[in-house]
Amino acid sequence: MNATVAPQIQALRATLSDHVLIGKIVDVFYAKMLDDYRINRFFFTRPAAEQADALKAFLKAYFNTFNSADEKVLDALDGYFTTAFARTNAKPSLVTGNDFAFLLDIVGGQDIRNITLLTPAHCFLIKLGPDDFHYDIVMEHLADSLKQLNITEDLTYQILALAEKGRDGLLARGVEVKKAA
């Protein structure tokens, strides 16, 4: 890593470790997400504050380590998926955890996808069928939230680039982070 990149990464880490700033971003962002009819159907009916707190806990764990495979980060992410997307009748597959995708593909006449869950509770979101259209809306709301909070252009670019890196993983097209037990 060259000397000009390291200070930028350190500055980004320091900024994103500011839990007050992250809390403000999440609160504004979450309100936008829940108000948008195009994507609010994905979220469970738990109180918005409870869902936002679970997202803040995940981001705090992640920004403390910047290691998506860290056990505490994965536990916090699993907690967020459960809080935000789990329905009382939603259960992971009894056979493989990915049976729902196989069945959806068969019924929809699509090629069978290889689903890679980030955590066991990630299946709650994936069963609802998010795709790139929905992720684009999330990115739009994140950008609008950062602009509303007067986050600098440089920091906005870095946060959006970091969020974009999560697209394939969140849509279950990513590389497996941890084998399910």
Side-chain angles (χ1 to χ4, degrees):
M1 188 178 298
N2 70 37
T4 60
V5 174
Q8 289 175 328
I9 292 172
Q10 289 174 346
L12 178 62
R13 282 185 132 184
T15 302
L16 295 179
S17 294
D18 178 355
H19 303 301
V20 173
L21 174 63
I22 294 301
K24 288 178 184 177
I25 293 169
V26 167
D27 288 339
V28 171
F29 170 72
Y30 227 77
K32 290 180 184 302
M33 299 281 288
L34 294 178
D35 282 345
D36 190 327
Y37 73 92
R38 300 172 295 174
I39 56 173
N40 63 10
R41 69 178 174 85
F42 291 108
F43 297 92
F44 190 51
T45 57
R46 285 195 174 96
E50 187 178 329
Q51 293 183 46
D53 285 348
L55 181 56
K56 290 173 192 175
F58 161 67
L59 292 173
K60 180 180 179 181
Y62 178 74
F63 291 141
N64 282 339
T65 67
F66 276 78
N67 178 0
S68 60
D70 181 271
E71 195 70 33
K72 289 180 184 175
V73 173
L74 290 171
D75 287 345
L77 183 59
D78 199 58
Y80 172 66
F81 284 136
T82 300
T83 302
F85 305 109
R87 283 17 179 210
T88 54
N89 64 347
K91 294 183 175 101
S93 166
L94 298 174
V95 180
T96 67
N98 294 337
D99 290 351
F100 63 88
F102 172 77
L103 293 173
L104 288 174
D105 290 342
I106 298 273
V107 170
Q110 300 176 19
D111 289 336
I112 297 172
R113 295 171 283 172
N114 184 18
I115 299 297
T116 305
L117 298 176
L118 298 173
T119 72
H122 186 202
C123 71
F124 295 128
L125 170 62
I126 297 306
K127 284 180 183 182
L128 300 172
D131 59 23
D132 286 301
F133 170 76
H134 302 109
Y135 203 90
D136 290 342
I137 295 167
V138 169
M139 294 297 290
E140 173 188 317
H141 287 311
L142 180 56
D144 290 347
S145 299
L146 297 170
K147 184 176 182 178
Q148 181 179 332
L149 292 168
N150 296 317
I151 304 299
T152 65
E153 215 173 287
D154 183 51
L155 183 55
T156 294
Y157 174 79
Q158 292 177 56
I159 291 172
L160 291 174
L162 186 60
E164 186 58 45
K165 286 182 179 182
R167 180 182 295 261
D168 284 343
L170 192 73
L171 296 177
R173 301 185 301 227
V175 176
E176 191 164 10
V177 176
K178 176 184 172 187
K179 289 270 185 205

